[in-house]
Amino acid sequence: MAKTAFLGLGVMGFHMAGHLAAKGHQVTVWNRTETKSLDWTAQHKGEVAKDPAAAAFGAEYVFLCLGDDPDVRAVFDQLEPSLGAGMIVVDHTTASADLARELDERCRVKGTRFVDAPISGGEAGAVNGKLTIMCGGEEKAFNSAEPVMAAYGKNMTLIGESGAGQLAKSVNQICIAGIVQGLSEGLHFAEKAGLDAEKVIAAISGGAAQSWQMENRWKTMVEGHFEHGFAVDWMRKDLRITLEAARENGASLPLTATVDQYYADVQAMGGQRWDTSSLIARLKRG
């Protein structure tokens, strides 16, 4: 069993750290709002650290699950003095590939290894310990961290060198954005045409139109229930990172850019915390 630190007990991190403890790993947690840490220790076996440096001190693995690049950099600045030879830092935040490469270099100076490891699967995946994890970094570091991440990860893949995990997460978000918009338009069309949505889905879901989003979200989309997953605010953050990376590498993402603006419309409707399937709401508003 490993000595671990888990920094960031949000919607995902709270459950992920819980799985580490349940598997018998030694877990020290830190969260910017300390009440979250106290809530966690009330439910799981572990310790609360007063700050990131104290959490990371002496740990074999330091896991981060934060909000955005500035959050990761601020926390890393605090824990950096506690890093040492043989330690591995795993960042589960969806952040930029540029930041991943920067932190990889800073870790190397300390003799520490770094893995960028953004996650997919939503809160349900975190609760059930079945997350998909896309990783970038050295193979040796990934191989060491993989059995520990297996406490909450179902599919873990080393994509390539540092930053590759974050770029793979962008691919994931690009695909989701396009699929949800297509599903939204299809369901909206069915409604306007006077079709029974359930019968339509039954007819088409066994063919080429099938998707996870269709299987799991069509009914709640039709009913206007958007409290089931990844928030629009977070999707826009991810798409911002994706579009910035595309400007750097020259990729053309016209659909992704358009859907990003559709999500801005949803935010303007008050849907900041609605899940990503809420794209259908902007079609229904007129």
Side-chain angles (χ1 to χ4, degrees):
M1 295 296 102
K3 184 176 182 181
T4 69
F6 204 102
L7 286 65
L9 300 176
V11 171
M12 308 290 280
F14 191 96
H15 303 294
M16 294 162 69
H19 285 298
L20 286 173
K23 292 294 184 181
H25 297 294
Q26 183 178 340
V27 185
T28 299
V29 298
W30 174 86
N31 192 72
R32 183 169 51 189
T33 305
E34 189 179 24
T35 53
K36 276 283 188 72
S37 297
L38 297 176
D39 288 345
W40 187 88
T41 53
Q43 299 179 41
H44 305 284
K45 184 178 179 180
E47 302 292 332
V48 175
K50 64 179 180 178
D51 54 45
F57 184 79
E60 298 171 82
Y61 300 89
V62 179
F63 298 97
L64 309 178
C65 194
L66 305 165
D68 202 346
D69 282 29
D71 306 304
V72 176
R73 185 174 281 109
V75 171
F76 189 87
D77 287 347
Q78 295 178 66
L79 69 85
E80 192 170 17
S82 294
L83 298 181
M87 295 172 65
I88 297 177
V89 176
V90 179
D91 185 15
H92 288 305
T93 312
T94 296
S96 69
D98 287 343
L99 178 62
R101 298 182 189 111
E102 173 193 326
L103 298 186
D104 179 62
E105 288 298 323
R106 290 169 67 176
C107 281
R108 287 174 186 271
V109 172
K110 295 279 191 173
T112 302
R113 288 171 286 170
F114 179 82
V115 178
D116 53 291
I119 52 181
S120 181
E123 185 177 3
V127 170
N128 297 320
K130 297 185 181 300
L131 292 168
T132 293
I133 309 176
M134 297 147 276
C135 301
E138 293 181 356
E139 185 174 5
K140 185 177 180 180
F142 170 77
N143 289 340
S144 178
E146 184 180 18
V148 184
M149 294 190 294
Y152 46 78
K154 180 181 180 181
N155 298 307
M156 293 159 283
T157 306
L158 179 63
I159 306 295
E161 61 186 18
S162 182
Q166 297 294 355
L167 295 173
K169 179 61 182 287
S170 285
V171 175
N172 186 77
Q173 303 306 70
I174 290 166
C175 294
I176 289 174
I179 289 169
V180 174
Q181 178 61 20
L183 180 58
S184 297
E185 292 185 14
L187 292 171
H188 179 62
F189 178 90
E191 180 184 6
K192 289 295 187 180
L195 303 177
D196 183 320
E198 185 170 5
K199 290 181 178 179
V200 171
I201 295 298
I204 70 174
S205 61
Q210 195 276 340
S211 68
W212 185 96
Q213 298 290 341
M214 178 180 288
E215 181 179 349
N216 291 276
R217 292 288 179 261
W218 79 265
K219 187 172 178 60
T220 54
M221 289 170 73
V222 169
E223 295 173 346
H225 297 157
F226 308 122
E227 309 298 330
H228 305 282
F230 193 63
V232 168
D233 278 351
W234 291 114
M235 184 61 155
R236 286 217 72 207
K237 182 267 292 187
D238 290 0
L239 293 181
R240 186 202 77 228
I241 290 170
T242 297
L243 293 167
E244 288 173 352
R247 283 191 286 273
E248 291 180 7
N249 66 28
S252 178
L253 305 180
L255 177 58
T256 304
T258 299
V259 176
D260 177 55
Q261 291 307 301
Y262 291 165
Y263 277 123
D265 293 342
V266 174
Q267 288 176 316
M269 293 168 59
Q272 295 92 338
R273 301 304 300 172
W274 292 349
D275 70 68
T276 52
S277 69
S278 59
L279 282 174
I280 196 172
R282 64 178 294 278
L283 299 176
K284 289 185 171 186
R285 64 181 174 175

